[in-house]
Amino acid sequence: MVFQVAVPSDLRIGGGSLAQLPDVLRRLGSARPLIVTDGFLTGNGTADRVAALLRDAGLHPAVFSGVVPDPTTISLRGGLEAAKEHQADVLVGLGGGSPIDTAKALAVLAVRGGQLRDLKAPFSYDGPALPVVAVPTTAGTGSEATRFTVITDSDTGEKMLCAGPSYLPVAGIVDFELTMSMPPRLTADTGIDALTHAVEAYVSRHRNAFSDSVALRAMTIIGRNLRAAYRDGGDRDARAAMMEAATLAGIAFSNSSVALVHGMSRPLGAHFHVSHGMSNAMLFAAVTEFSLGVADDRYADCARALGLVDDSIADADAAIALVDELRALATELAVPTPEEFGVSSADWAALVPTMAEQALASGSPGNNPRVPTASDIERLYHRVFDGGIR
């Protein structure tokens, strides 16, 4: 079996690595980087800090701060104008998944033109694009190391998965010190997001030996550190570990794929504006339980990597222990049910058929060990609303 491995060519990982961003950009031949970020990081001074770092190094940066949560095709317009006006030669995605995903989409559209909907999965884009340097400020999405971006179609409401080598950042600055101010809710959601990436990469039908090894390592780190980071945001060791794990999990699923949890998660974000990590957390236990019986040895390996059981426990029992742990995490990390989040039962039920259709269309459910039908997905959505996350 031949499989291809793709990772950013330059990853700087560790506390204080942000200071190396000018060196990364110089190596790329950049003179006019555009920092792609959101209003929060502009308001708290982080974007200005990064811009000053680049100016002090003799570069000529500009800042586009119009990124919105769950970015849309409309929200890309301002970024395209900013990239053109600044004559940007590199895009620096600064923030969580939304700024980095926005930078990836802008990088392609700024060169290719056209409509992003023409590039959604299963299409794979490998054409020209601006280079992207990713600087994550959360520990979860792994977007700094993936060949994917997710953007909502403003006309249809569909949360589109776009994939291909051209979306892979050429470099990443993975500095855990940028995550030290994350509140507990964001720590929980992004941490479970990283765990979802690792588990789904490991059980995916497109897994390989490389993605397996990276995914298992990410799970081990998360199992030892997620609760500690949630309880004490000032725990530097836990923060550093979770940042490393998020990047490893991103590398794993970028070289394997995600599966049913992600397929069902994207429509929740598009229709109910649930953050991506929280959407995954709402679905994780129920979807994993649904998937048992097909690849229990794989789920058992996940349970062992998390430190839940040892090799003396049978695979089927170890897989059940994994589901129990996901329910325990949802409780301990205060993951809300959809109803607790504010979604009405009527609105949820009305959109279930559409969400199931969109989940299947993304292709991700086909990577699941147990491949679901539309009816299966609809039943899972109803179960999650009725309290199936815990």
Side-chain angles (χ1 to χ4, degrees), residues 198-210:
V199 171
E200 290 209 304
Y202 191 74
V203 302
S204 166
R205 290 172 177 262
H206 295 291
R207 62 188 180 260
N208 55 67
F210 174 78

Side-chain angles (χ1 to χ4, degrees), residues 282-329:
M282 288 178 175
L283 296 162
F284 204 1
V287 169
T288 302
E289 185 174 46
F290 163 83
S291 303
L292 298 188
V294 177
D296 283 357
D297 58 331
R298 287 262 145 185
Y299 287 112
D301 286 344
C302 296
R304 294 179 184 115
L306 286 166
L308 305 176
V309 297
D310 59 29
D311 291 340
S312 68
I313 303 300
D315 286 349
D317 293 331
I320 292 171
L322 174 64
V323 175
D324 290 342
E325 167 69 355
L326 299 181
R327 296 197 188 285
L329 274 176

Side-chain angles (χ1 to χ4, degrees), residues 217-281:
R217 179 57 184 162
M219 283 181 247
T220 297
I221 296 171
I222 293 168
R224 294 171 179 170
N225 292 280
L226 176 53
R227 285 177 172 86
Y230 176 74
R231 288 192 302 265
D232 178 8
D235 186 331
R236 289 176 61 85
D237 290 341
R239 289 292 198 195
M242 288 303 299
M243 195 66 158
E244 177 187 349
T247 298
L248 291 175
I251 292 171
F253 87 80
S254 183
N255 287 281
S256 174
S257 65
V258 288
L260 181 54
V261 175
H262 276 74
M264 292 179 63
S265 173
R266 297 185 197 103
L268 296 192
H271 296 290
F272 299 113
H273 306 294
V274 184
S275 70
H276 175 66
M278 184 181 289
S279 297
N280 282 345

Side-chain angles (χ1 to χ4, degrees), residues 24 50 52 55 66 96 108 144 200 221 235 241 259 273 328 343:
V24 170
V50 174
R55 282 193 297 269
V108 168
E144 66 274 10
E200 290 209 304
I221 296 171
D235 186 331
H273 306 294
V343 180

Side-chain angles (χ1 to χ4, degrees), residues 53-247:
L53 176 69
L54 301 184
R55 282 193 297 269
D56 290 346
L59 302 174
H60 301 281
V63 176
F64 169 67
S65 60
V67 174
V68 299
D70 292 321
T72 66
T73 50
I74 286 178
S75 74
L76 297 178
R77 294 174 183 172
L80 287 171
E81 293 173 4
K84 181 179 180 180
E85 179 179 344
H86 186 58
Q87 298 181 320
D89 51 19
V90 171
L91 301 182
V92 178
L94 173 67
S98 293
I100 297 176
D101 276 4
T102 295
K104 292 178 177 181
L106 293 176
V108 168
L109 294 179
V111 177
R112 180 187 182 276
Q115 302 295 318
L116 199 63
R117 66 172 62 94
D118 296 331
L119 303 178
K120 68 181 182 180
F123 183 83
S124 178
Y125 181 70
D126 61 357
L130 288 174
V132 172
V133 176
V135 184
T137 61
T138 63
T141 71
S143 190
E144 66 274 10
T146 74
R147 296 179 283 182
F148 308 105
T149 187
V150 179
I151 305 291
T152 298
D153 188 323
S154 298
D155 292 333
T156 66
E158 179 185 0
K159 206 167 186 180
M160 301 180 296
L161 172 67
C162 298
S166 300
Y167 298 103
L168 181 69
V170 298
I173 300 290
V174 185
D175 187 342
F176 78 88
E177 292 179 355
L178 293 170
T179 73
M180 294 299 295
S181 61
M182 283 200 306
R185 178 74 272 135
L186 185 58
T187 299
D189 295 342
T190 55
I192 296 178
D193 189 21
L195 180 58
T196 311
H197 293 154
V199 171
E200 290 209 304
Y202 191 74
V203 302
S204 166
R205 290 172 177 262
H206 295 291
R207 62 188 180 260
N208 55 67
F210 174 78
S211 62
D212 279 356
S213 61
V214 180
L216 288 171
R217 179 57 184 162
M219 283 181 247
T220 297
I221 296 171
I222 293 168
R224 294 171 179 170
N225 292 280
L226 176 53
R227 285 177 172 86
Y230 176 74
R231 288 192 302 265
D232 178 8
D235 186 331
R236 289 176 61 85
D237 290 341
R239 289 292 198 195
M242 288 303 299
M243 195 66 158
E244 177 187 349
T247 298

